[in-house]
């Protein structure tokens, strides 16, 4: 499982011109599911992002977690995080999870975030999505 997590002031995702998810301050989570990923990986990474202290405190130090700032989460599936560009000029996606399993784990990840009491918005699995964001910092973290 691969995550590109961006601290944002706001973010949204739309499909076919219609907004399907929108948040204010919080995290934009681009989530890639690999072939070997499990529910345990989902729970471990959800716990990590919930506790991650990357918001500034009153002294400007990255010391506050999502709960401390009343943050929200926008989760967007992104199998292209598993692109292998080591041979030639066309990426291979053989390491990405098969669609059925990946969709199941994507939804499980969302459920895990919601079970922690977080406000979660989402994209549409497998859709051609347009993502907009106002990055805060910018502050971007990659988790595996």
């Amino acid at each position: 499982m691969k995550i590109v997590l961006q601290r944002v002031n706001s973010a949204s995702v739309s499909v076919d011109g219609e907004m399907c998810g929108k948040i204010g301050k919080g995290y934009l989570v681009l989530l890639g599911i690999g072939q070997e990923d499990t529910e345990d990986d989902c729970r471990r990474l959800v716990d990590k992002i919930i506790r991650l202290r990357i918001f500034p405190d009153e002294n400007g130090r990255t010391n506050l977690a999502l709960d401390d700032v009343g943050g929200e989460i926008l989760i967007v599936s992104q199998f292209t995080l598993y692109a292998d560009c080591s041979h030639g000029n066309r990426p291979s996606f053989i390491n990405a999870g098969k669609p059925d399993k990946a969709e199941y784990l994507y939804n499980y990840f969302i459920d895990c975030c919601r079970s922690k009491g977080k406000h979660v918005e989402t994209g549409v699995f497998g859709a051609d999505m347009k993502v907009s964001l106002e990055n805060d910092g910018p502050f971007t973290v990659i988790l595996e």
Side-chain angles (χ1 to χ4, degrees):
M1 193 165 292
K2 295 182 180 187
I3 291 176
V4 174
L5 182 143
Q6 295 180 298
R7 186 179 76 188
V8 298
N9 290 323
S10 62
S12 64
V13 61
S14 60
V15 175
D16 296 329
E18 293 198 29
M19 189 172 304
C20 54
K22 181 179 180 179
I23 64 165
K25 183 179 216 56
Y27 296 150
L28 169 61
V29 174
L30 304 176
L31 176 64
I33 308 291
Q35 290 185 16
E36 305 299 321
D37 291 333
T38 66
E39 290 177 349
D40 285 340
D41 296 320
C42 289
R43 289 189 297 270
R44 179 181 55 81
L45 284 171
V46 165
D47 285 343
K48 184 67 165 181
I49 68 170
I50 298 303
R51 293 185 181 123
L52 201 60
R53 298 184 319 170
I54 64 170
F55 292 95
D57 64 15
E58 64 278 355
N59 298 315
R61 296 186 58 199
T62 52
N63 202 29
L64 301 178
L66 199 61
D67 281 344
D68 299 324
V69 299
E72 303 171 301
I73 305 172
L74 174 59
I75 303 170
V76 176
S77 64
Q78 187 154 2
F79 79 95
T80 60
L81 294 176
Y82 277 89
D84 179 356
C85 299
S86 61
H87 302 307
N89 295 318
R90 184 175 179 195
S92 168
F93 299 102
I94 61 172
N95 294 320
K98 301 292 183 230
D100 289 347
K101 178 183 176 186
E103 184 173 16
Y104 169 77
L105 288 175
Y106 170 73
N107 288 318
Y108 186 79
F109 187 92
I110 292 165
D111 291 343
C112 287
C113 288
R114 288 181 173 148
S115 75
K116 301 284 187 184
K118 302 300 167 236
H119 176 85
V120 176
E121 297 281 327
T122 68
V124 176
F125 184 89
D128 180 16
M129 296 174 275
K130 306 301 180 212
V131 179
S132 298
L133 69 137
E134 181 180 290
N135 214 321
D136 180 17
F139 202 114
T140 302
V141 176
I142 299 172
L143 302 168
E144 292 188 60

